[in-house]
Amino acid sequence: MDEDPPTVNKWDGNAIKNALDDATKSVMMNNICTVECFRLIDGRLIISSLAVGFSLFALGYDYWFPFPLSRTILMVCVVCYFIMSAILTWHTSSVEKGTFATVLNVDPSGIDPNDSWSASSYLKRFDTVYHLTLTFKCGKTKQQRESTTAMAIERYFDVNGKLLYDRVSR
Amino acid sequence: MLSKVLSLLGFPDEIKRMNMRQVMYQVLNFAMIVSSALMIWKGLMVVTSSESPIVVVLSGSMEPAFNRGDLLFLTNYEKDPITVGEIVVFKVEGRDIPIVHRVIKVHQGDSNDNNSVKFLTKGDNNNVDDRGLYAHGQVWLRRKDVVGRARGFVPYIGIVTIIMNEYPELKYTVLALLALFVLFNRE
């Protein structure tokens, strides 16, 4: 870790999960490869931007052409907005599935497609066991290998996050 | 300084992970919440055909039917004729404040044209009709002045809106706190 391990409120499950996620990500960046793949986050950003775009367009149109004239446009924009929201929810729950970091193992010769390691995690509410899943996708053969560990979070925190992150990368 | 404010609010580690994508994501998250509220409001406008589908009663001129602070749901469908005894919400030309009163007289005009109807209103709790409230020289209200007809109500909830409008500092403080909370809370 380059900087001091962050201090988190040890009773706040969400903060703990975020701290563990960040730590795992920095271990992956240091040990495996330093190129991070932002495809999933970018997907989310694009869908949200589109949705906000629809609502801003509706707002502007209604401002310039007050209500009865703007009726059709408003209807279209509202429906599109909610469709985009549904797409976003679908994206978050089924495409992402808790993945928080994807690292690309860039192939040095540049010919074969890249391999990727991705990590996803979940921590149930009020539970003390943190589940981490590492997935390795081979670029060439498109095969996947997975390994899952479940760790009790008490091992990693006393008052601060500690430097036992290396165990995570195994 | 911002980090101190955030620590007070309970977000000690948010500053650390402020890379560009995270910032954009938080801003978009906030924009999505605001947009959801906006879209629900516009959707209601389309469904009810009224430019202001929910209004708050601001005065006591309709007691005992409606008290100050009641929330009213309106619809404004073109094909429904305005009849005596209905409670309508209208805006006088040139003024922005909607008024909630009852229709007491209707002047039918051309029966083919729904828009030529003229009507007179009066608050239940007032002694005189509304001619004193209309624009200078105006004696009747027309269809286009109507914002909607009252279709349902929820008592007292609108008091929050009245308080926010009378004390704007309170409104801005609440909005600022909500914005900070959404912007800096990592899900």
Side-chain angles (χ1 to χ4, degrees):
Chain A
M1 289 287 284
D2 321 331
E3 65 256 355
D4 301 327
T7 309
V8 292
N9 181 358
K10 55 183 174 178
W11 302 113
D12 180 3
N14 211 19
I16 290 186
K17 178 181 178 303
N18 289 336
L20 277 172
D21 287 349
D22 286 341
T24 315
K25 187 158 86 155
S26 59
V27 166
M28 282 173 72
M29 301 271 279
N30 289 337
N31 294 2
I32 302 176
C33 183
T34 49
V35 175
E36 190 174 349
C37 170
F38 290 116
R39 214 162 37 104
L40 287 175
I41 298 185
D42 282 350
R44 243 206 250 183
L45 285 180
I46 291 177
I47 297 179
S48 312
S49 306
L50 276 179
V52 172
F54 274 118
S55 93
L56 285 179
F57 178 68
L59 183 66
Y61 195 88
D62 187 58
Y63 181 74
W64 287 111
F65 303 101
F67 175 56
L69 296 166
S70 57
R71 199 162 174 263
T72 344
I73 299 273
L74 280 185
M75 213 154 40
V76 168
C77 284
V78 168
V79 168
C80 286
Y81 178 80
F82 285 113
I83 292 180
M84 296 261 76
S85 281
I87 294 181
L88 182 68
T89 315
W90 167 78
H91 184 270
T92 312
S93 49
S94 31
V95 173
E96 274 192 32
K97 283 193 287 248
T99 312
F100 61 86
T102 310
V103 164
L104 288 172
N105 203 355
V106 180
D107 185 54
S109 65
I111 303 178
D112 300 326
N114 298 325
D115 305 328
S116 79
W117 292 88
S118 59
S120 75
S121 67
Y122 67 92
L123 175 68
K124 287 201 204 110
R125 249 184 105 103
F126 306 127
D127 194 5
T128 54
V129 181
Y130 172 76
H131 301 258
L132 174 70
T133 307
L134 278 176
T135 311
F136 173 68
K137 281 201 198 61
C138 180
K140 260 195 303 200
T141 61
K142 299 258 179 287
Q143 278 170 345
Q144 269 183 231
R145 286 193 316 228
E146 271 194 18
S147 92
T148 310
T149 50
M151 300 167 292
I153 53 182
E154 295 91 44
R155 298 170 64 195
Y156 299 93
F157 293 96
D158 55 7
V159 179
N160 313 321
K162 300 288 278 185
L163 281 168
L164 300 170
Y165 305 131
D166 285 338
R167 302 194 197 186
V168 168
S169 73
R170 302 275 166 268
Chain B
M1 220 231 58
L2 182 60
S3 53
K4 288 207 185 62
V5 170
L6 290 179
S7 313
L8 274 175
L9 285 173
F11 307 123
D13 70 344
E14 304 311 310
I15 296 285
K16 291 189 178 57
R17 43 121 200 138
M18 286 295 186
N19 66 64
M20 193 55 207
R21 276 190 165 74
Q22 290 283 7
V23 169
M24 275 189 59
Y25 182 64
Q26 294 294 125
V27 168
L28 273 177
N29 213 11
F30 177 70
M32 289 278 290
I33 293 181
V34 172
S35 303
S36 291
L38 186 70
M39 289 289 105
I40 291 179
W41 178 253
K42 298 288 179 203
L44 267 181
M45 272 172 64
V46 168
V47 163
T48 63
S49 306
S50 159
E51 66 178 41
S52 182
I54 301 181
V55 294
V56 175
V57 175
L58 295 171
S59 70
S61 58
M62 280 299 287
E63 290 179 8
F66 296 132
N67 300 306
R68 201 167 114 94
D70 289 350
L71 206 70
L72 288 177
F73 299 104
L74 310 179
T75 63
N76 196 21
Y77 301 126
E78 284 283 324
K79 48 185 174 39
D80 289 344
I82 297 187
T83 55
V84 173
E86 274 191 328
I87 299 178
V88 296
V89 178
F90 60 91
K91 277 192 194 167
V92 176
E93 213 151 330
R95 271 175 248 159
D96 246 346
I97 307 179
I99 304 177
V100 186
H101 283 167
R102 196 182 296 272
V103 173
I104 54 170
K105 281 192 192 158
V106 171
H107 196 31
Q108 194 52 50
D110 184 358
S111 55
N112 297 333
D113 179 8
N114 221 359
N115 286 336
S116 69
V117 166
K118 292 191 272 197
F119 55 98
L120 178 64
T121 58
K122 173 181 168 307
D124 288 350
N125 210 17
N126 291 346
N127 290 330
V128 295
D129 60 36
D130 288 344
R131 287 198 165 117
L133 288 174
Y134 299 163
H136 190 65
Q138 184 183 11
V139 178
W140 298 91
L141 280 179
R142 296 197 167 264
R143 187 72 180 77
K144 63 176 177 53
D145 298 317
V146 169
V147 171
R149 252 168 286 247
R151 290 281 183 240
F153 85 111
V154 182
Y156 300 125
I157 300 235
I159 290 274
V160 178
T161 312
I162 295 182
I163 293 178
M164 294 272 217
N165 280 333
E166 283 183 13
Y167 303 106
E169 306 88 20
L170 181 62
K171 175 160 69 171
Y172 297 134
T173 316
V174 168
L175 286 177
L177 280 177
L178 278 175
L180 274 180
F181 190 76
V182 171
L183 278 173
F184 290 104
N185 198 19
R186 188 176 171 182
E187 58 178 57

